[in-house]
Amino acid sequence: DIQMTQSPSTLSAAVGDRVTITCRASQSISRWLAWYQQKPGKAPNILIYKASTLESGVPSRFSGSGSGTEFTLTISSLQPDDFATYYCQQYDTYWTFGQGTKVEIK
Amino acid sequence: QLQLQESGPGLVKPSETLSLTCIVSGGSISSSSYYWGWIRQPPGKGLEWIGSIYYSGSTYYNPSLKSRVTTSVDTSKNQFSLKLTSVTAADTAVYYCGRHAIAEANRPNWFDPWGQGTLVTVST
């Protein structure tokens, strides 16, 4: 099984802050990685796929990078609508998710 | 716009079978570009992929759940279903269905869109 580990688990930040979330895979997954945003009581929404490709309609303040085993999701200037939980998901071998990173208001 | 909607009992007794259906609207489940998947999320916890099915019936299952999971597809009704046998309290979760895109490497990749989810509680 490929394990996905996100850090931090919780992140406190203010509007306007630059935020970075890390996702590490237990083995190389090339660039087969997606990022999702989930708000309370709602289903996840896709933000980024293939590590760095922004889904249509997603604000450009979101960006993704990485390959192999280490990936990052960056929000360049945190907006009120961005307070949510973020998940990475690998699709190299089967499909597994990270445990999530909750972005809270500081 | 494609929409997915989960339906099924919200309460299942331990040792019984959990059965859910996902109705797809606004698009055809018979598209060659997609699998159709199930994902669950225990209350307050993270996401776990359960299984995915193609319109032809080809399936992928999570190895940790494979012995208890069956999925099926009904193209005439544009819907697909999940059965999970011998449930315990550990199977209590919000169950989501989602479209599983075949975009890279000729296999399913990410999930988009998702249904709204349905809470299934395993309890007597």
Side-chain angles (χ1 to χ4, degrees):
Chain A
D1 289 12
I2 297 178
Q3 309 299 321
M4 306 301 292
T5 303
Q6 289 182 232
S7 60
S9 296
T10 305
L11 186 160
S12 296
V15 172
D17 283 354
R18 181 181 182 88
V19 166
T20 298
I21 299 168
T22 297
C23 178
R24 289 186 173 86
S26 59
Q27 65 189 69
S28 177
I29 58 169
S30 185
R31 292 175 58 81
W32 305 130
L33 186 97
W35 288 98
Y36 299 85
Q37 178 192 68
Q38 185 180 34
K39 295 183 178 178
K42 301 293 187 182
N45 283 318
I46 183 78
L47 296 174
I48 287 169
Y49 57 89
K50 206 175 181 182
S52 62
T53 302
L54 206 62
E55 172 72 358
S56 176
V58 174
S60 59
R61 63 181 179 271
F62 290 92
S63 64
S65 65
S67 65
T69 62
E70 188 153 337
F71 302 85
T72 59
L73 172 70
T74 299
I75 309 172
S76 60
S77 178
L78 198 65
Q79 298 303 301
D81 191 49
D82 301 337
F83 291 96
T85 300
Y86 294 84
Y87 292 92
C88 61
Q89 176 231 315
Q90 66 84 16
Y91 48 95
D92 178 86
T93 305
Y94 291 111
W95 300 271
T96 49
F97 295 85
Q99 82 278 15
T101 295
K102 184 177 183 179
V103 177
E104 297 181 328
I105 301 173
K106 190 172 184 180
Chain B
Q1 181 181 358
L2 190 85
Q3 292 185 317
L4 298 91
Q5 177 68 57
E6 304 88 352
S7 65
L11 181 65
V12 181
K13 290 183 169 56
S15 80
E16 295 190 345
T17 297
L18 179 159
S19 297
L20 295 174
T21 295
C22 181
I23 299 171
V24 179
S25 59
S28 174
I29 202 169
S30 300
S31 169
S32 60
S33 300
Y34 304 103
Y35 272 66
W36 304 88
W38 292 96
I39 309 101
R40 68 181 182 179
Q41 185 171 37
K45 296 188 177 180
L47 300 160
E48 180 182 36
W49 166 71
I50 301 169
S52 297
I53 188 166
Y54 197 53
Y55 75 93
S56 64
S58 175
T59 56
Y60 293 97
Y61 294 139
N62 187 323
S64 68
L65 297 170
K66 187 175 183 177
S67 64
R68 298 195 292 131
V69 171
T70 303
T71 57
S72 60
V73 62
D74 187 335
T75 56
S76 67
K77 294 182 178 179
N78 221 38
Q79 64 187 41
F80 60 107
S81 299
L82 168 72
K83 289 189 186 298
L84 181 66
T85 63
S86 304
V87 297
T88 69
D91 295 308
T92 294
V94 174
Y95 285 75
Y96 295 100
C97 58
R99 187 176 66 176
H100 203 174
I102 303 172
E104 306 278 357
N106 199 33
R107 63 174 183 268
N109 301 164
W110 57 88
F111 297 92
D112 178 57
W114 300 50
Q116 65 183 26
T118 187
L119 174 63
V120 179
T121 302
V122 179
S123 176
T124 55

